[in-house]
Amino acid sequence: MDAALVSGWEALCQLLSPAFTRPTFVTFVHIATGWVLCRSRPTVTNLVCTVGSSLLGHVARHWTVYEKFFYRAAWSLPELSRLLLVRVVVPLIDRCAVAERIDLDIDDTTCGRCGKHVAWAGYFKDASASNTLKTVVHWAHNWVIGCVALRDRRWPKWVIGLPVWFALYRKRPDCDKSHPFLTRQQIAARMIRDTRDALPGRTIGIAADGQYATGEVVAAASSIQSNLVSRLRSDAAIYALPPKRKRFKRGRRKKRGRRLPTPRQLAKRRKSGWRTVTVLVYGKRVRRRVLPCTCLWYHVSKDQPIKLLIVRDPAGKQKDDYLFCTDPAVSDEQIIERFAARWPIEECIRDGKQTGGLEQVQGWCRRTVERQAPFALVVQTLVKSWYLLHGAGALSAQPRGAKACGWLREKDHPSYLDMLATLRRVLWTYRIKCNSTLVGRVRRLLEPLRFTLCAAA
């Protein structure tokens, strides 16, 4: 069983082989597997110590080869992202997902760094530490991330996030002719177009936070015949649809109708038109009062009609929310559920920082900065894909400690730590068993195992 599970992990890595040369692919497999097994900061030195003298049937290479993988080896992060989407995520959706639509969520995060000589680092607002009373600014990198949301048939209430696109936001002084300045919204628009280029025949839905509700993102979603679900400003200037042109009337046709009250004013004044819906939000079925309105948000979507949806908690525990969709034909329930399903990208960022080493990489030169931090999220997508395809069905591989591996039946869904623990157990069991008959290899294996256990303490 362990050999079959390990083969599943190797097969997933093999799907990404076209992004590398043959020698570099072996290095990639070693680094990705070492990243999974490493219990300390994922520096290259720690990864080399975790890999040991051999891993998955391949003899370990000199430590400088692993150093050069990030700053010199011939591979491209955009090409790796495209292969991750096309060869790993899309087949996973076809096999395990409830729906075949590709739901792409976009957000950005800061990753704190140390040192003034780190390439493209700057002072950015830390949204997770800031609140209405204080604003926290720290020396960091700012990453824009595109994540595919998936609902597995075994856990239909749980939305799984699979990071696939990664782009480093650079401030204007850090840009040049070879890399022109792009805002976060323009980077998000490029991710949307890249998704369509990679998947020309698939239905794609876009969801993003309110800061991405801009003309560039809306135009990109419209250009690929997709729709965007996001949050609307409570004081946004919205207009009625333009009136029908009278017959034989001369002059230019009106692009917009009369100015409507702001969404906040509509929520206060409108007494009729509300209805109650039951939606799946954050894994629970809840009731919400909704007020839909088809209008124009001319500042963002120009003359393209949008569907404004005012969402109210009947219990009054939460403030009114103002959502919109660029396709007025989308149902009210689907808009709420799609926006709530954007939360897994926050979980991916949290898991990447707390468990995957996204904020603990040590590289400082330009090419290393562009490649090393996103590698933590690439590994996260591979781990989740392996678990959904192979690990979840193997009870013997689940972490021991609960009653006869019954831990999964007592939980709504497995966490990323559960998935990571399962893969680590499979890989370590295989490494020990396959070398158990050779005393010399076992002795050499004890050194990386001892290092991993000490690092975990």
Side-chain angles (χ1 to χ4, degrees):
M1 178 60 73
D2 291 330
L5 295 176
V6 172
S7 298
W9 170 252
E10 291 181 313
L12 277 177
C13 295
Q14 185 69 37
L15 293 175
L16 304 180
S17 60
F20 309 97
T21 61
R22 183 175 298 178
T24 305
F25 173 69
V26 177
T27 307
F28 162 75
V29 174
H30 281 186
I31 290 180
T33 309
W35 206 295
V36 171
L37 298 177
C38 185
R39 298 303 304 268
S40 56
R41 304 183 71 152
T43 61
V44 175
T45 301
N46 290 340
L47 294 178
V48 171
C49 293
T50 304
V51 169
S53 60
S54 64
L55 184 65
L56 299 181
H58 301 286
V59 178
R61 314 180 74 180
H62 193 267
W63 65 270
T64 55
V65 176
Y66 300 103
E67 290 277 3
K68 293 176 182 178
F69 176 80
F70 290 109
Y71 75 86
R72 182 178 292 183
W75 60 278
S76 170
L77 182 62
E79 176 63 14
L80 181 63
S81 297
R82 189 189 68 83
L83 292 173
L84 191 65
L85 174 64
V86 175
R87 291 192 161 202
V88 177
V89 174
V90 172
L92 182 66
I93 291 175
D94 294 338
R95 181 172 175 177
C96 303
V98 174
E100 295 183 357
R101 186 184 67 235
I102 306 296
D103 288 329
L104 180 67
D105 304 332
I106 299 176
D107 204 349
D108 64 275
T109 185
T110 57
C111 295
R113 293 303 307 268
C114 296
K116 294 184 179 180
H117 298 290
V118 177
W120 300 309
Y123 286 104
F124 294 96
K125 176 183 175 182
D126 186 358
S128 61
S130 302
N131 52 39
T132 56
L133 299 179
K134 64 176 182 179
T135 299
V136 178
V137 178
H138 65 149
W139 187 257
H141 286 133
N142 189 205
W143 289 95
V144 182
I145 301 171
C147 174
V148 173
L150 177 150
R151 289 186 188 272
D152 192 274
R153 296 189 184 97
R154 290 162 288 189
W155 305 284
K157 293 184 179 181
W158 175 46
V159 184
I160 311 166
L162 302 170
V164 291
W165 296 113
F166 324 97
L168 180 65
Y169 169 73
R170 304 184 194 178
K171 293 187 175 182
R172 198 178 295 272
D174 296 329
C175 298
D176 51 26
K177 292 182 179 179
S178 61
H179 191 287
F181 174 74
L182 294 175
T183 64
R184 298 176 185 86
Q185 292 75 22
Q186 290 171 336
I187 293 174
R190 186 177 63 186
M191 288 181 177
I192 294 172
R193 289 190 289 267
D194 289 344
T195 304
R196 170 54 69 200
D197 294 340
L199 306 173
R202 303 298 293 246
T203 302
I204 302 173
I206 315 297
D209 202 359
Q211 70 163 321
Y212 292 95
T214 62
E216 295 94 342
V217 180
V218 171
S222 301
S223 65
I224 66 170
Q225 285 76 47
S226 181
N227 57 72
L228 169 70
V229 173
S230 184
R231 181 178 278 121
L232 191 77
R233 290 173 56 98
S234 61
D235 59 349
I238 57 176
Y239 297 85
L241 300 181
K244 293 184 178 180
R245 184 183 180 92
K246 294 183 179 179
R247 193 177 183 184
F248 305 120
K249 185 176 181 180
R250 303 175 65 181
R252 188 178 63 180
R253 178 181 178 274
K254 289 185 177 182
K255 293 185 177 180
R256 55 188 177 185
R258 61 182 179 85
R259 173 76 179 267
L260 298 176
T262 64
R264 185 189 297 115
Q265 292 171 342
L266 280 176
K268 290 181 179 179
R269 299 177 185 177
R270 188 71 65 87
K271 303 301 180 183
S272 60
W274 293 86
R275 70 187 189 93
T276 303
V277 297
T278 302
V279 291
L280 180 62
V281 177
Y282 309 123
K284 297 180 180 180
R285 290 282 178 183
V286 297
R287 298 178 64 190
R288 290 290 184 265
R289 298 276 293 168
V290 295
L291 177 64
C293 176
T294 302
C295 58
L296 295 178
W297 190 11
Y298 198 79
H299 178 69
V300 171
S301 61
K302 299 302 180 183
D303 55 351
Q304 176 184 349
I306 66 168
K307 185 174 189 176
L308 164 64
L309 189 67
I310 303 174
V311 184
R312 175 171 295 174
D313 182 8
K317 296 180 180 180
Q318 299 179 1
K319 296 181 179 180
D320 290 348
D321 208 353
Y322 310 99
L323 309 179
F324 80 94
C325 181
T326 54
D327 183 5
V330 177
S331 65
D332 302 343
E333 294 84 353
Q334 190 175 353
I335 293 175
I336 299 174
E337 291 182 354
R338 279 181 55 188
F339 188 78
R342 190 190 58 84
W343 184 251
I345 193 172
E346 305 289 350
E347 295 179 339
C348 291
I349 294 171
R350 179 204 61 192
D351 293 333
K353 290 182 178 181
Q354 296 182 358
T355 308
L358 176 62
E359 210 169 16
Q360 296 177 332
V361 294
Q362 299 294 297
W364 59 273
C365 67
R366 295 191 172 192
R367 294 195 73 181
T368 303
V369 164
E370 286 183 321
R371 293 173 167 184
Q372 198 172 21
F375 201 85
L377 298 177
V378 172
V379 171
Q380 182 183 141
T381 299
L382 290 175
V383 171
K384 291 179 178 178
S385 301
W386 174 87
Y387 185 85
L388 295 177
L389 290 173
H390 307 284
L395 292 180
S396 61
Q398 306 304 326
R400 299 185 185 275
K403 299 177 181 179
C405 297
W407 61 276
L408 189 57
R409 291 190 292 271
E410 300 174 3
K411 302 178 66 172
D412 293 333
H413 61 268
S415 66
Y416 178 63
L417 280 176
D418 297 329
M419 302 178 185
L420 199 57
T422 304
L423 181 56
R424 283 171 175 166
R425 182 174 184 271
V426 167
L427 292 176
W428 275 119
T429 302
Y430 176 77
R431 293 184 74 182
I432 294 172
K433 282 185 177 180
C434 71
N435 294 313
S436 59
T437 58
L438 302 175
V439 178
R441 291 186 180 181
V442 171
R443 289 176 179 175
R444 289 194 295 269
L445 180 64
L446 289 177
E447 189 60 31
L449 180 59
R450 191 180 296 114
F451 169 82
T452 304
L453 294 176
C454 293

